[in-house]
Amino acid sequence: MSSDIKILVAEDDRAVSNLISTSLKAAGYRIITVYNGNEAVTGTASHSPDIILLDLGLPDIDGIEVIKKIRGWTETPIIVISARTDDPDKIEALDAGADDYLTKPFSVDELMARIRATLRRLVHLRNAAASDSVYENGPLRIDYSSGCVYLSGEEVHLTALEYKLLSLLARNTGKVLTHRYIIQNVWGSAWESDLGTLRVFMASLRKKLGENDGAPRFIATHIGIGYRMMRID
Ligand code: CA
């Protein structure tokens, strides 16, 4: 199954690139390695990979520019690889259209888990027509046509904004959404002053979904970055 999956690895650090390639090949994936941003763009165009692993610090063009160029013609999932201290870079990358991020140094297990999660998301995307009116994820069910939300069959009463917030997260299950993206899409406003509001609505939504701070089930918090709806198998 995974032998049909092509992954493009754009990383100029040869040691890291070799580690990633060796691990992914051992797991049965087909690998295309490139070492700079221009090759990442042309490699994506010529090989049509299923997933792109993109180091943000490349020697020629900036990783963010690479994402913007690639997003000009394809929605192929992009997982960025970034240094621990670079939260602004991660946020910029996600806002430019990246799907997820890995922080250096990362373990092979973590890399594999992200790839599997991205592939599950792709399968769901390919199976679910855009017109799908019902969303299901574990015990959570959203009926978009009636605007009703159910948890284990029990209706959950949400405010209009909580519903909008939940729908946005659900429609992007598996993808990290930045604070800015969420605020723009739910409130349609500039974001700085609204971060506190988002937190309040998120806390209220999580409570209604039966989550408590210590044990998120559906919604994962990415501190300083945003939130992600998790796929529950
Ligand atoms: Ca680098």
Side-chain angles (χ1 to χ4, degrees):
M1 182 68 196
S2 54
S3 63
D4 295 332
I5 306 291
K6 253 187 291 181
I7 302 177
L8 182 131
V9 179
E11 164 65 86
D12 61 314
D13 182 326
R14 300 276 164 156
V16 177
S17 174
N18 286 343
L19 172 70
I20 293 174
S21 302
T22 306
S23 313
L24 292 179
K25 278 180 192 160
Y29 298 108
R30 288 162 60 195
I31 304 303
I32 302 133
T33 43
V34 297
Y35 303 99
N36 62 52
N38 281 310
E39 285 174 2
V41 175
T42 56
T44 297
S46 55
H47 295 282
S48 301
D50 297 283
I51 297 179
I52 298 160
L53 282 178
L54 176 70
D55 177 31
L56 285 182
L58 292 169
D60 54 347
I61 46 174
D62 188 67
I64 307 292
E65 283 309 308
V66 175
I67 296 168
K68 288 178 182 165
K69 281 176 195 275
I70 289 173
R71 279 290 170 267
W73 83 89
T74 178
E75 289 301 314
T76 303
I78 300 174
I79 302 174
V80 299
I81 301 169
S82 162
R84 185 169 294 283
T85 49
D86 295 344
D87 275 356
D89 278 1
K90 287 175 199 158
I91 293 168
E92 213 186 326
L94 292 165
D95 278 333
D99 294 73
D100 202 350
Y101 62 87
L102 271 168
T103 300
K104 281 181 184 173
F106 53 84
S107 69
V108 169
D109 285 348
E110 199 181 348
L111 169 66
M112 292 302 165
R114 294 305 170 84
I115 302 239
R116 285 193 303 269
T118 302
L119 288 172
R120 278 201 299 276
R121 200 166 86 76
L122 272 183
V123 168
H124 276 279
L125 279 181
R126 284 169 186 172
N127 291 344
S131 60
D132 264 7
S133 63
V134 174
Y135 169 86
E136 281 182 298
N137 186 9
L140 176 65
R141 186 166 189 272
I142 305 171
D143 185 333
Y144 292 120
S145 55
S146 67
C148 293
V149 176
Y150 304 88
L151 195 60
S152 304
E154 295 281 322
E155 187 168 358
V156 182
H157 296 281
L158 302 181
T159 65
L161 280 172
E162 286 164 357
Y163 177 77
K164 218 171 157 184
L165 181 56
L166 177 64
S167 302
L168 181 70
L169 288 161
R171 289 195 189 279
N172 293 282
T173 297
K175 183 168 174 168
V176 182
L177 302 183
T178 62
H179 296 135
R180 183 198 310 252
Y181 181 88
I182 295 170
I183 290 164
Q184 278 174 349
N185 280 275
V186 174
W187 283 272
S189 62
W191 72 295
E192 307 273 342
S193 58
D194 296 318
L195 190 52
T197 309
L198 170 58
R199 291 214 172 96
V200 170
F201 275 87
M202 192 59 85
S204 154
L205 174 61
R206 287 177 138 167
K207 200 171 163 195
K208 290 182 181 181
L209 294 179
E211 300 190 353
N212 53 56
D213 288 348
R217 285 191 302 161
F218 297 108
I219 303 165
T221 300
H222 290 250
I223 295 167
I225 293 175
Y227 300 95
R228 176 202 331 240
M229 174 69 83
M230 310 295 284
R231 171 67 59 188
I232 296 170
D233 291 319

